[in-house]
Amino acid sequence: MYKKKECIAMLLAGGQGSRLYALTEKTAKPAVSFGGKYRIIDFPMSNCVNSGIDTVGVLTQYQPLALNEYIGNGEPWDLDRVHGGVMVLPPYQGKSSSDWYRGTANAIYQNTSFIERYSPDYVLILSGDHIYKMNYAEMLDIHKKHNADCTIAVLEVPMEEASRFGILNTDENGKIIEFEEKPAHPKSNKASMGIYIFSTKVLLDYLRRDEADPNSSNDFGKNVIPAMLNDGLSMYSYTFGGYWKDVGTIQSLWEANMDLLGKNPKFNIRDKSWRIFYRNNAEPPQSISGNARIINSLITEGCKISGTVINSVISSSVTIEPGATVRDSVIMGGVVIRSGATIDYSIVDADAVIGKNACVGRSRYDGAQISVVGMNVVIEDGSVVEDGAMLSNKE
């Protein structure tokens, strides 16, 4: 017998992440490393726990192995519950057919049995590729206050950028009166964050209708939300004022990592009042040699640093040998950077090896593009990797 829940979360984590290129060839986007010791999915998962939501379905599809292994039984996020907890939900064979998730709405539709298992009053829909801290309980309070059918989290963006987003137009009470997908001439700057709270009965009804429509893209933003609005349902916005970053591109992933640096970072990852939980693979303390030079950087446990690190994020178990320099870069776990090597304005994925005196990337102040070295790639001694290069190990 399953225990009834007031609200459960469905976390969409199946995206291919093609704009992250080499970083997602073998890893689902939500499992990509971030901030030295985290994964992208740690942020929405931690938000759920901190908001009092203890039942989370994680919908996986593309390259799910690393993500499934990382989530495990959910213990690091206090989601190893007898009643609820976290469950990984891949596409599966049903009675009549089996299918890949065809869109965000279809992915939830295929898992209606998971939702119905807990008889929730409300369902929270989340994306697995954003960096932010949000109290979903506050958003749920707004939803209940208005007796809404659907509440959409919105972020106020600069007006000149509004045409890149789904834009909500609201009345003075926050009631949504119009939704436009990437409008050429936006009427407001309230951008949908792709975070929704639905009253469960309404959600299931519209998912069934959407599934029955052969012309639908099976997408919340393109199909389900406009259909509900056209039918005159009660829909409200919840304005979010904190830090939020979609890390779906190489540039935005690099920027979000840089936002962690400094005495007053744009995004405070050390906030004890809103902890970001993660799977902690016990590592020894950092080993920093007397000749090492570290300026404005994050150095994670297990690192051995003998070179120079400037304005960079260094993940666990990275070795930087004497005479090596890392500048304006993100270095993921287990990377070895040999003596004399230089890495500038780059992202280096896990377990890569940068050979002696090799040169990767070029200063961002010279108009360079970010260089990416993929997982397990070996850069030979003395090699030069041009800026903007995307190197991967496709074996």
Side-chain angles (χ1 to χ4, degrees):
M1 185 68 183
Y2 292 100
K3 187 177 179 182
K4 176 177 169 56
K5 302 287 183 179
E6 181 188 31
C7 182
I8 69 169
M10 301 294 277
L11 205 169
L12 295 158
Q16 186 170 344
S18 57
R19 292 179 299 162
L20 289 177
Y21 303 100
L23 301 180
T24 50
E25 281 189 345
K26 298 179 181 177
T27 305
K29 181 164 55 171
V32 169
S33 295
F34 177 81
K37 56 187 175 184
Y38 305 94
R39 307 287 183 106
I40 296 170
I41 199 171
D42 287 332
F43 294 85
M45 294 262 285
S46 297
N47 288 341
C48 285
V49 174
N50 289 326
S51 301
I53 295 172
D54 64 6
T55 304
V56 182
V58 180
L59 286 68
T60 63
Q61 179 156 283
Y62 173 81
Q63 294 283 22
L65 188 60
L67 186 59
N68 295 357
E69 186 177 63
Y70 183 72
I71 293 170
N73 67 351
E75 184 271 334
W77 306 270
D78 191 28
L79 286 171
D80 53 335
R81 306 295 180 93
V82 174
H83 299 290
V86 66
M87 181 175 289
V88 175
L89 302 170
Y92 61 91
Q93 179 89 36
K95 282 184 179 179
S96 57
S97 65
S98 66
D99 205 350
W100 289 111
Y101 296 145
R102 297 190 302 278
T104 53
N106 174 259
I108 303 298
Y109 172 81
Q110 285 198 37
N111 289 282
T112 52
S113 60
F114 177 81
I115 296 172
E116 290 168 337
R117 177 184 296 176
Y118 298 100
S119 304
D121 298 314
Y122 310 102
V123 178
L124 169 67
I125 309 291
L126 302 170
S127 175
D129 52 6
H130 301 146
I131 302 296
Y132 66 114
K133 292 182 284 191
M134 180 190 283
N135 189 340
Y136 303 135
E138 291 182 358
M139 183 176 172
L140 182 58
D141 286 344
I142 294 293
H143 183 85
K144 291 192 285 188
K145 173 188 171 185
H146 291 298
N147 193 27
D149 295 307
C150 174
T151 301
I152 302 175
V154 301
L155 189 73
E156 293 185 352
V157 299
M159 206 65 187
E160 60 270 21
E161 295 180 18
S163 58
R164 293 172 39 217
F165 297 88
I167 295 297
L168 306 176
N169 302 315
T170 65
D171 67 14
E172 63 276 8
N173 298 314
K175 185 173 184 178
I176 301 169
I177 54 177
E178 190 177 11
F179 177 83
E180 296 179 287
E181 185 68 29
K182 298 181 180 179
H185 304 287
K187 299 174 185 175
S188 86
N189 65 339
K190 293 183 177 182
S192 169
M193 298 170 68
I195 298 171
Y196 314 109
I197 291 179
F198 290 94
S199 295
T200 304
K201 289 182 180 178
V202 173
L203 172 65
L204 296 182
D205 179 34
Y206 274 83
L207 288 179
R208 292 184 186 108
R209 292 194 205 179
D210 182 69
E211 192 65 22
D213 180 359
N215 298 316
S216 175
S217 302
N218 305 124
D219 184 85
F220 278 105
K222 293 177 184 176
N223 308 110
V224 176
I225 299 300
M228 293 176 67
L229 200 57
N230 289 339
D231 289 346
L233 269 64
S234 176
M235 304 177 73
Y236 281 82
S237 64
Y238 169 76
T239 302
F240 176 68
Y243 178 96
W244 181 82
K245 194 83 166 180
D246 181 340
V247 287
T249 66
I250 294 294
Q251 182 69 34
S252 62
L253 180 65
W254 180 89
E255 289 174 358
N257 274 279
M258 296 301 111
D259 286 345
L260 307 176
L261 302 178
K263 291 182 179 179
N264 297 298
K266 291 183 180 179
F267 185 63
N268 182 9
I269 213 164
R270 301 185 184 90
D271 182 2
K272 292 181 180 178
S273 69
W274 196 268
R275 280 185 60 196
I276 304 301
F277 300 91
Y278 65 99
R279 183 170 292 283
N280 185 3
N281 298 319
E283 299 278 358
Q286 302 94 329
S287 173
I288 312 295
S289 79
N291 296 323
R293 180 169 170 251
I294 299 174
I295 299 172
N296 192 43
S297 296
L298 283 181
I299 309 294
T300 310
E301 294 89 344
C303 289
K304 296 178 180 178
I305 311 293
S306 300
T308 298
V309 181
I310 302 170
N311 200 50
S312 295
V313 175
I314 311 297
S315 298
S316 61
S317 301
V318 169
T319 299
I320 301 178
E321 294 184 350
T325 299
V326 177
R327 185 185 296 107
D328 293 326
S329 294
V330 179
I331 311 298
M332 298 183 183
V335 170
V336 176
I337 302 170
R338 300 294 186 196
S339 59
T342 300
I343 299 178
D344 208 335
Y345 195 38
S346 299
I347 298 177
V348 181
D349 204 355
D351 300 318
V353 177
I354 311 299
K356 291 182 180 181
N357 300 313
C359 181
V360 177
R362 189 162 57 91
S363 173
R364 65 192 180 103
Y365 300 106
D366 292 341
Q369 294 180 305
I370 298 170
S371 303
V372 177
V373 177
M375 188 181 296
N376 297 312
V377 169
V378 176
I379 305 298
E380 300 295 335
D381 294 356
S383 299
V384 175
V385 176
E386 300 290 343
D387 70 288
M390 296 278 170
L391 304 183
S392 63
N393 185 347
K394 296 187 177 180
E395 292 181 5

